[in-house]
Amino acid sequence: MNHILIIGFVWPEPNSTAAGTRMLQLIKLFLSQNWKVTFASPAANSEYMIDFDDLGISKIKIEINDPSFDHFIKQLQPNIILFDRFMIEEQFGWRVSKYCPKALKILNTEDLHSLRKTRQASFKNNKKFKIKDLLESDFTKREIASIYRCDLTLIISDFEMTLLKDTFKISEDLLCYLPFLFDTITPEIRNEWLDYEERNHFMTIGNFRHEPNWNSVLYLKQTIWPLIRQELPETELHIYGAYPTPKAIQLHNEKEGFLIKGHAKNTKEVISQARICLAPIRFGAGIKGKLVDAMLYGTPSVTTSIGIEGMFDEDTDWNGFVADDPSIFAKAAIKLYNDNNLWRQSQQNGIEIINTRFQKERFAPLLIDMINIRLSNLEKYRTQNFIGNMLQYHTLRSTEFMSRWIEEKTKTNAPKD
């Protein structure tokens, strides 16, 4: 039986973040193969994290820059390790390689953090994002190095898959395109949804700690929602999301119909009761969970070209409208809200996207096959990955020595009894 250790950047929160949804899907996939799953993280416990006991998996608290992890990994001896985000691989990868060298190392990117960070920096500097900016970023160099040090990297967006292969020339042997994994939306599921006439108002949702989400809320408040509200004065915009900050709560204004609702206990319920989902995302990466959820629950959406990335191509009709100009965005939202036939067609487009691009039965077996093939031919794949071996060689020295230095410094500064 395979034993997979997942080292998480945070404890998964599927009701708060798209990353949490992604991680829960992976955990359930591994459990469906009768694998033993252990989840470890240096993060503090969070309010909305999953119930590990309910899933039947072990939850272990670990420390960064601490030799206790060495003892832990030597005793556990999993044959697969999954690093959740490249920062976790940087912290623990060298320890895994040293004390568990025959374990298959998988990197789960969630999204390309370097792409999101570079786009965010370009936006804040009022510059148009260019690939040149991505190539020059130290953050990018760290993330690409992490991909090479691992035996397999999970990529959630086909846009990012193409970027890694064409721009960074990374071998496809090191990459696995794995979008969100969903069951087919059947006619029976469709018939359970509320119809157009039974739905009211607009909504958006997203963790307030995630900068693209917070920027989107401000953009709605300051620019887009006033334009919509002027034409639809009786409508409301309901904003959901975990961890609303005091600044976010202060945006709540009942007279304007701009309502900060906070954490949604039942995401499906709040999305499926709304008529339209608004997501004016101006920077980011990966697949946008709010837009996927909107399609899963039959709610058309209006978003941007960044919002649809990884979910849309020339042969696809969107689940609503796509607009980067705020006035066009607002007009599209008003039109979609008022037009029954257009709304129904948009909903059907969303069903097609889920059923063609995010099929669990299509993509899940491909990942399991790739893992099993690499487990049986690990030495061969590692020999072919010379750049990864080279980076691993230097990492085992530079990162290990830095970590050891931090350990000793911590001991020196520890209070004396």
Side-chain angles (χ1 to χ4, degrees):
M1 178 176 67
N2 288 326
H3 180 187
I4 183 166
L5 168 65
I6 301 173
I7 308 178
F9 183 70
V10 294
W11 305 108
E13 297 186 5
N15 288 328
S16 302
T17 67
T21 298
R22 164 70 153 196
M23 181 53 68
L24 183 58
Q25 288 180 349
L26 290 174
I27 290 172
K28 289 183 174 180
L29 173 59
F30 300 145
L31 290 174
S32 73
Q33 303 299 306
N34 294 316
W35 295 1
K36 181 179 179 181
V37 178
T38 300
F39 198 104
S41 177
N45 286 346
S46 58
E47 185 177 356
Y48 306 119
M49 67 182 183
I50 60 175
D51 187 332
F52 290 91
D53 291 335
D54 187 54
L55 287 169
I57 66 177
S58 301
K59 171 182 177 288
I60 308 293
K61 179 73 165 65
I62 54 176
E63 301 295 332
I64 292 175
N65 298 315
D66 194 290
S68 61
F69 182 83
D70 303 344
H71 304 301
F72 163 69
I73 196 72
K74 280 192 288 187
Q75 183 177 10
L76 194 69
Q77 283 299 305
N79 65 325
I80 307 170
I81 287 104
L82 185 145
F83 303 103
D84 180 38
R85 301 172 174 86
F86 82 89
M87 299 84 79
I88 286 295
E89 188 277 333
E90 286 182 329
Q91 287 286 345
F92 296 100
W94 69 268
R95 294 182 185 271
V96 167
S97 294
K98 187 169 185 177
Y99 297 107
C100 206
K102 295 184 179 180
L104 180 73
K105 297 186 296 182
I106 302 173
L107 174 63
N108 179 39
T109 56
E110 300 293 357
D111 61 26
L112 282 182
H113 284 52
S114 52
L115 178 62
R116 173 159 49 84
K117 289 285 187 180
T118 307
R119 280 175 168 168
Q120 181 175 333
S122 296
F123 176 82
K124 288 191 172 182
N125 292 323
N126 200 27
K127 291 170 48 183
K128 183 178 180 181
F129 167 77
K130 296 179 180 178
I131 292 296
K132 178 175 176 288
D133 301 325
L134 185 64
L135 294 171
E136 293 176 349
S137 166
D138 290 343
F139 210 80
T140 303
K141 295 164 189 171
R142 289 170 55 194
E143 188 162 34
I144 298 301
S146 181
I147 290 173
Y148 272 111
R149 285 192 297 266
C150 290
D151 301 304
L152 189 65
T153 294
L154 309 184
I155 306 298
I156 200 168
S157 161
D158 57 2
F159 174 86
E160 294 175 4
M161 189 78 172
T162 300
L163 181 68
L164 291 172
K165 289 191 297 182
D166 293 352
T167 301
F168 295 97
K169 309 302 180 185
I170 297 177
S171 169
E172 201 162 357
D173 283 341
L174 294 175
L175 306 173
C176 174
Y177 171 56
L178 189 76
F180 282 119
L181 306 172
F182 298 117
D183 294 319
T184 300
I185 299 176
T186 63
E188 290 76 20
I189 292 174
R190 163 65 186 85
N191 290 336
E192 293 176 358
W193 293 341
L194 294 178
D195 212 341
Y196 171 86
E197 296 84 358
E198 300 173 285
R199 297 173 180 239
N200 291 295
H201 305 306
F202 296 85
M203 64 82 59
T204 192
I205 190 168
N207 191 321
F208 283 93
R209 291 177 178 173
H210 190 54
E211 188 62 27
N213 290 336
W214 171 234
N215 179 269
S216 176
V217 171
L218 286 176
Y219 192 31
L220 283 165
K221 172 71 174 181
Q222 297 167 356
T223 306
I224 295 175
W225 181 243
L227 299 175
I228 297 174
R229 178 77 169 182
Q230 185 176 354
E231 297 297 322
L232 300 172
E234 301 302 317
T235 59
E236 299 171 352
L237 174 56
H238 299 176
I239 299 103
Y240 296 91
Y243 309 109
T245 63
K247 285 184 178 180
I249 294 172
Q250 289 174 5
L251 297 180
H252 183 91
N253 189 314
E254 293 190 8
K255 289 184 178 180
E256 296 175 357
F258 196 89
L259 309 180
I260 305 295
K261 296 283 190 174
H263 178 68
K265 293 182 180 179
N266 188 322
T267 301
K268 178 180 179 180
E269 182 177 302
V270 300
I271 295 178
S272 61
Q273 289 179 350
R275 188 173 291 180
I276 307 291
C277 172
L278 301 179
I281 301 165
R282 292 190 281 185
F283 54 85
I287 301 294
K288 314 308 178 290
K290 61 176 67 62
L291 295 172
V292 172
D293 285 342
M295 291 185 280
L296 283 171
Y297 307 136
T299 306
S301 60
V302 184
T303 187
T304 60
S305 55
I306 291 289
I308 64 170
E309 190 174 88
M311 292 186 280
F312 186 81
D313 54 45
E314 293 180 356
D315 299 325
T316 305
D317 291 321
W318 182 246
N319 176 47
F321 286 104
V322 180
D324 293 322
D325 179 88
S327 62
I328 297 175
F329 188 104
K331 289 176 182 177
I334 295 165
K335 183 176 181 180
L336 189 57
Y337 192 88
N338 286 331
D339 192 324
N340 187 331
N341 292 330
L342 181 60
W343 186 92
R344 292 175 189 276
Q345 182 57 56
S346 297
Q347 184 185 71
Q348 184 59 41
N349 295 342
I351 295 173
E352 293 299 320
I353 292 172
I354 293 294
N355 288 351
T356 57
R357 298 186 67 99
F358 300 101
Q359 294 173 309
K360 181 167 68 176
E361 65 272 18
R362 174 186 172 191
F363 292 103
L366 294 177
L367 171 61
I368 299 303
D369 286 346
M370 292 185 78
I371 290 175
N372 287 331
I373 290 171
R374 278 154 183 75
L375 283 172
S376 60
N377 298 276
L378 189 54
E379 186 175 345
K380 168 193 163 187
Y381 279 98
R382 285 184 174 172
T383 301
Q384 294 172 346
N385 181 17
F386 178 79
I387 294 177
N389 290 327
M390 178 180 63
L391 290 168
Q392 189 66 51
Y393 173 85
H394 289 286
T395 299
L396 273 170
R397 282 147 183 80
S398 60
T399 308
E400 176 180 1
F401 293 148
M402 174 60 75
S403 184
R404 297 298 189 200
W405 178 80
I406 293 173
E407 287 176 22
E408 292 304 317
K409 187 177 180 182
T410 302
K411 290 178 185 176
T412 303
N413 294 334
K416 303 290 191 295
D417 291 333

